[in-house]
Amino acid sequence: INFTKTYSPLTSAEIVAKEKSNMDEKRFKHCIGVSKTSRKLAELNNYDPDKAALAGFIHDYAKQVSPERFIKVIKEQHFDQDLLNYNRAIWHGIVGAYFIEKELKITDPEILTAIRRHTTADVEMTILDKIVFVADFIEPGRDFPGVEEARKVAYDNLDDGVGFELAHTLDFLITNRKKIYPKTFAAYNKWAVKD
Ligand code: GDP
Ligand code: FE
Ligand code: FE
Ligand code: FE
């Protein structure tokens, strides 16, 4: 992987090394898949492919950070304390952006927002937010019933891809009686509901 534009004082090689050392091999492969799919979705949606590839690559940087470290940051950096009622599934995006800023030294607000929104989505979504959110769901390594349809829908129309993914996620959360983060719910109402 090579990022031709610089969003960090670190080199591409340094970012790749830090990313790799922060997660296991399986997760690293997923990040490469999300990077490639983000690039493809960017090309289809007139967005900067290099920037999308970088955002996709780092989106799960904090996925395997310990719960203890997350809790410390949520408390000390004055995040919404309601986050403490959730777990790493929600934290690694919203709070993960903090680790990305500190450790990968990325300050670009568009990239950081896309990381924050990549798990829950949100009512307001930029093109980059949608690209990373959808790429995370359809990258080549993903294999779940419905992934082929998700790919078809998303490559056809990015907004429809967001709606399809949110409907699938809500379905999963309800089936498994998981706690729904309010933003996930609001995003579902915005992007998935067919009037
Ligand atoms: P990953 O990091 O590549 O595994 O993918 P994501 O960041 O998109 O999602 C991680 C997990 O968070 C998935 O299993 C989602 O189903 C789950 N998730 C998304 N929204 C919510 C929510 O509102 N509540 C809970 N409990 N989990 C959620
Ligand atoms: Fe994630
Ligand atoms: Fe996702
Ligand atoms: Fe991911």
Side-chain angles (χ1 to χ4, degrees):
I1 308 177
N2 200 23
F3 306 114
T4 58
K5 278 187 200 139
T6 310
Y7 291 98
S8 164
L10 304 186
T11 64
S12 283
E14 286 169 327
I15 287 185
V16 171
K18 275 189 189 271
E19 172 93 358
K20 205 169 181 29
S21 70
N22 220 34
M23 60 188 65
D24 62 30
E25 192 60 30
K26 188 164 171 263
R27 181 62 42 185
F28 186 72
K29 283 207 180 98
H30 163 68
C31 290
I32 290 174
V34 175
S35 181
K36 287 182 178 161
T37 302
S38 294
R39 177 181 292 283
K40 201 158 139 186
L41 285 170
E43 283 161 358
L44 287 169
N45 291 278
N46 302 309
Y47 190 82
D48 180 343
D50 290 329
K51 190 169 180 178
L54 174 59
F57 181 63
I58 62 176
H59 82 287
D60 273 342
Y61 175 75
K63 181 86 180 182
Q64 290 164 348
V65 164
S66 73
E68 294 71 25
R69 282 186 79 202
F70 274 118
I71 290 165
K72 189 169 148 65
V73 168
I74 290 165
K75 288 181 177 166
E76 291 179 359
Q77 302 300 318
H78 308 291
F79 277 86
D80 179 354
Q81 299 300 296
D82 176 52
L83 283 165
L84 295 170
N85 297 314
Y86 294 83
N87 59 28
R88 271 198 290 193
I90 298 296
W91 298 340
H92 79 280
I94 296 166
V95 188
Y98 172 86
F99 290 100
I100 287 168
E101 200 172 358
K102 284 278 173 252
E103 297 172 13
L104 301 183
K105 310 210 181 301
I106 284 168
T107 51
D108 184 273
E110 262 186 64
I111 294 179
L112 294 174
T113 299
I115 307 297
R116 284 189 195 103
R117 292 177 173 163
H118 93 263
T119 302
T120 60
D122 208 332
V123 175
E124 297 301 327
M125 301 268 281
T126 68
I127 297 180
L128 184 61
D129 297 343
K130 293 172 188 171
I131 288 172
V132 176
F133 181 70
V134 167
D136 189 20
F137 192 59
I138 65 167
E139 61 97 358
R142 290 286 195 205
D143 184 19
F144 55 84
V147 71
E148 277 311 328
E149 197 190 348
R151 289 184 179 121
K152 194 189 165 302
V153 169
Y155 285 127
D156 206 44
N157 181 294
L158 189 58
D159 283 5
D160 291 347
V162 172
F164 186 95
E165 178 174 345
L166 281 163
H168 186 280
T169 299
L170 261 287
D171 209 354
F172 167 83
L173 295 172
I174 288 167
T175 299
N176 293 286
R177 298 282 188 102
K178 301 261 191 201
K179 193 184 289 180
I180 296 171
Y181 190 66
K183 263 186 189 156
T184 309
F185 199 29
Y188 167 85
N189 280 343
K190 165 77 187 252
W191 299 101
V193 171
K194 295 177 186 174
D195 283 319

